[in-house]
Amino acid sequence: TALSRLSKALGAFRTRYPDVNFRIVQIAPDSMMEMVQMLENGEVDLCFTAAALDEDNIQEIPVLHAEVFLAVPYNHRLAGRTSISLQEVAGEAFIEYKAGHPFRKMNEEFCRLAGISRDVVCEVDEPAALGSLVSAGLGAAFVPGCKGDEKPPYAMVRIEKPSCYRTFTVAWLER
């Protein structure tokens, strides 16, 4: 989750600034307009976003640039490889986020850049489901490589071409 990516930074910030308090509101990534409304209504001061909000009155700065890997089951033909071109998985079975999810849009752009189509065999709402289904052998999926020391229950293969990254931002209302 996005919160797990922020927890250490929030702890370090709180140590340095003990008088600052946090109220954390978690919103599904496909509800990004709700983030915009919360900023505009003054309900929150900052948002950590998985994709740009692209609103005129909202400022954003990138805070995390995460490489995206191809997750495959350990028995997959590519599991032993260190890197691939995305063209090598044209037509393969994929597990994907549901339509409207910002990661789905990013993943579709990766495939468009590679000139491939995929067979989306299953759609999910959350990253944990994605990983669980990959490890169960249902297909491949795009996953970020910034999960810390956790060893995932699937093989992660670097995508050399096209370059696949997700940029997370902090956003605030410009007054």
Side-chain angles (χ1 to χ4, degrees):
T1 66
L3 185 56
S4 64
R5 290 180 175 89
L6 285 175
S7 296
K8 287 182 182 177
L10 291 174
F13 184 91
R14 183 90 168 96
T15 298
R16 189 167 180 181
Y17 303 100
D19 295 334
V20 175
N21 294 316
F22 295 96
R23 179 177 69 101
I24 296 173
V25 179
Q26 294 177 277
I27 297 174
D30 59 352
S31 301
M32 293 179 66
M33 286 312 297
E34 190 175 338
M35 287 187 209
V36 170
Q37 291 170 347
M38 292 180 81
L39 284 167
E40 291 176 339
N41 295 337
E43 296 173 52
V44 296
D45 297 317
L46 298 170
C47 288
F48 181 71
T49 67
L53 296 175
D54 292 325
E55 296 287 325
D56 291 337
N57 58 339
I58 294 178
Q59 297 296 312
E60 298 176 81
I61 58 168
V63 293
L64 177 65
H65 195 61
E67 184 174 7
V68 174
F69 290 78
L70 184 71
V72 295
Y74 283 118
N75 63 351
H76 189 275
R77 66 183 174 84
L78 299 174
R81 299 269 301 272
T82 55
S83 66
I84 61 160
S85 166
L86 203 50
Q87 291 174 331
E88 295 179 60
V89 294
E92 289 241 2
F94 267 77
I95 300 141
E96 185 56 91
Y97 290 100
K98 290 185 177 174
H101 193 290
F103 290 161
R104 170 99 180 226
K105 292 176 187 172
M106 291 176 202
N107 297 345
E108 288 171 347
E109 179 63 10
F110 299 151
C111 292
R112 187 193 68 74
L113 291 170
I116 67 165
S117 61
R118 307 170 289 158
D119 179 17
V120 176
V121 298
C122 186
E123 295 178 327
V124 301
D125 290 315
E126 59 185 46
L130 196 84
S132 177
L133 294 169
V134 168
S135 67
L138 270 72
F142 293 106
V143 297
C146 60
K147 295 220 175 198
D149 296 333
E150 295 176 28
K151 182 168 175 21
Y154 46 78
M156 290 176 57
V157 184
R158 174 169 274 115
I159 302 167
E160 292 291 335
K161 185 179 174 187
S163 180
C164 297
Y165 286 87
R166 293 180 185 152
T167 300
F168 295 82
T169 67
V170 170
W172 66 94
L173 185 66
E174 186 65 36
R175 297 178 196 252

